[in-house]
Amino acid sequence: MSRTLRLLITGGGTGGHTYPALTTLQAVQRRQVPHDVLWVGTANGLEARITAEHGIPFKAITTGKLRRRPNLRELGTNLADLFRIPVGVAQAVGHAARYLPDVVLSTGGYVAVPIGVAAKLIRRPLVMHEQTTVVGLANRILARLATRIALSHESSLEHLPPSARARAVVTGNPIRPELLRGDRAAAYDLFGLTFEVPLVYVTGGAQGSKQINTLIAEILPRLLPHAQVVHQCGPAWIDQMRAVQLPPELAERYHPVPYVGPELADLFAAADVVISRSGAGTVSELTAIGKPSVLVPLIPTGGDEQRKNASYLVSAGAARALLEPHPGAEQLLAELMPLLADPGLRAAMAEAARKLGRLDAADALCDLLLETAAVPR
């Protein structure tokens, strides 16, 4: 009889860290590997809500975040967080020692560091996964402790400590499999779209983006003669975006929504071009489904990761991007209009994006976990 895999998962704070872990767990479940799971995260991170929704056992720990360029206000927060870190490590060791996992999966965020340290202290194998093209500070710390290191991009190898590179393997970044099964016609029906012009899907993330929303509001009168737009603008922005003054004959081509949920797969299937940030999760989704995009990186982020992610796609011919810190509306329009005018260009960019995507990333990371835990596949 197969033994039960005891899997401890840590990582979270944002969807970019949480969803790859969840998708990998679902790959373990699809294999019908007998398993037991415990997720350790922060009480106020996205992981707490996601684990509750999926019935995954969850333990919260205290953790601190090191801000590398703090202002005066953040200096005080940094000092307070320094005292939280040892508390979090003690809590993490307690949870890990009681659970005694066969393997620990870490998908990043500052909550992952205490559990990574705990795995080392109780001598349990640690598989660390990095989503971005660069390697974040937390994962640079964990790379020295990890048994195996899973990377989303080949180019990330150079960002690892030299001593860690032999333990690294490129698996890709797991994305939610339902995003690959979108229904284009369903999106057209839901939003009342037309086949006369291309569809642009705009998103700044779940809360929306002030920068992207402002740029879109400015270009809409010139954009809508050539495109229709579904704009996920965030709950705080929906009234403002609905109030944007548009030519009456074009107003029905603009569809602002506060939030996109299960219909995201259908929107991705229907979109001819996507305008978005360039976080690790978004980049992985755009490449897996093969969508041309115009990326507006969030600047600055830790390690300037969003701009580097965008540059990676641009260099492969898979996207266009606004790489300057304060791009104007004219720059966005200049990047977008050639794509709307040329279906051949969109098709070429879609193919370039698809070549960067890894549809098997969750299964590859699942294989690595089972191999590290010495569990039969």
Side-chain angles (χ1 to χ4, degrees):
M1 184 172 131
S2 300
R3 70 182 175 91
T4 298
L5 168 70
R6 293 180 67 78
L7 172 61
L8 192 155
I9 296 174
T10 187
T14 66
H17 297 307
T18 305
Y19 285 116
L22 177 64
T23 305
T24 303
L25 173 59
Q26 290 168 338
V28 172
Q29 293 166 340
R30 281 198 307 277
R31 304 275 185 94
Q32 298 184 326
V33 174
H35 69 282
D36 188 86
V37 62
L38 174 67
W39 195 312
V40 178
T42 57
N44 58 353
L46 177 65
E47 65 272 24
R49 177 169 66 82
I50 293 297
T51 51
E53 288 174 0
H54 289 81
I56 300 167
F58 179 79
K59 297 286 186 183
I61 64 171
T62 299
T63 189
K65 177 178 179 178
L66 178 63
R67 296 152 189 85
R68 281 167 284 177
R69 297 190 193 89
N71 54 35
L72 280 175
R73 181 175 59 82
E74 289 180 331
L75 269 174
T77 309
N78 254 5
L79 287 172
D81 279 2
L82 281 175
F83 291 100
R84 292 190 184 101
I85 290 170
V87 174
V89 171
Q91 292 170 332
V93 171
H95 291 314
R98 282 189 292 273
Y99 185 67
L100 285 180
D102 294 308
V103 64
V104 177
L105 170 64
S106 162
T107 54
Y110 283 87
V111 69
V113 175
I115 287 290
V117 172
K120 188 71 172 178
L121 290 174
I122 68 168
R123 299 184 178 181
R124 297 287 153 156
L126 170 67
V127 174
M128 180 204 98
H129 182 263
E130 174 59 66
Q131 295 87 47
T132 66
T133 50
V134 296
V135 178
L137 180 60
N139 274 352
R140 287 205 300 276
I141 295 168
L142 290 180
R144 301 176 188 279
L145 309 177
T147 311
R148 298 301 302 273
I149 299 164
L151 301 175
S152 298
H153 309 280
E154 190 82 36
S155 61
S156 302
L157 272 169
E158 65 193 61
H159 297 284
L160 290 173
S163 61
R165 291 173 190 171
R167 290 176 274 124
V169 59
V170 179
T171 61
N173 188 14
I175 70 160
R176 293 165 280 172
E178 60 268 23
L179 294 181
L180 304 172
R181 300 191 290 264
D183 182 343
R184 183 171 184 257
Y188 269 69
D189 288 343
L190 178 63
F191 293 101
L193 301 174
T194 174
F195 290 97
E196 295 174 9
V197 288
L199 171 61
V200 178
Y201 171 50
V202 182
T203 177
Q207 300 305 312
S209 157
K210 177 181 179 180
Q211 181 186 35
I212 291 176
N213 291 349
T214 303
L215 291 172
I216 292 298
E218 190 170 337
I219 68 170
L220 274 175
R222 287 171 289 170
L223 174 60
L224 293 177
H226 310 281
Q228 57 197 326
V229 177
V230 174
H231 180 186
Q232 189 267 301
C233 60
W237 282 84
I238 186 64
D239 291 338
Q240 189 170 333
M241 298 311 297
R242 284 172 176 159
V244 173
Q245 294 298 306
L246 299 172
E249 69 277 11
L250 297 175
E252 65 182 18
R253 289 186 176 180
Y254 179 56
H255 308 269
V257 293
Y259 180 73
V260 171
E263 66 272 24
L264 177 59
D266 298 338
L267 263 176
F268 269 150
D272 294 287
V273 181
V274 176
I275 298 175
S276 71
R277 292 297 197 196
S278 50
T282 301
V283 165
S284 297
E285 291 166 0
L286 291 172
T287 55
I289 62 178
K291 282 294 163 180
S293 56
V294 178
L295 302 173
V296 186
L298 179 63
I299 304 171
T301 53
D304 204 15
E305 65 180 45
Q306 287 214 9
R307 188 154 42 176
K308 289 173 182 174
N309 290 344
S311 297
Y312 173 69
L313 263 63
V314 170
S315 66
R320 294 182 168 217
L322 307 181
L323 298 174
E324 298 305 313
H326 304 289
E330 295 298 331
Q331 291 168 272
L332 176 56
L333 208 58
E335 297 294 345
L336 183 57
M337 292 304 289
L339 289 173
L340 297 177
D342 189 346
L345 178 57
R346 295 200 300 270
M349 287 181 68
E351 182 59 27
R354 207 170 285 115
K355 286 179 179 176
L356 298 178
R358 284 288 300 262
L359 299 182
D360 65 339
D363 284 317
L365 189 49
C366 176
D367 285 339
L368 188 62
L369 280 176
L370 298 179
E371 175 191 311
T372 306
V375 170
R377 289 175 274 175

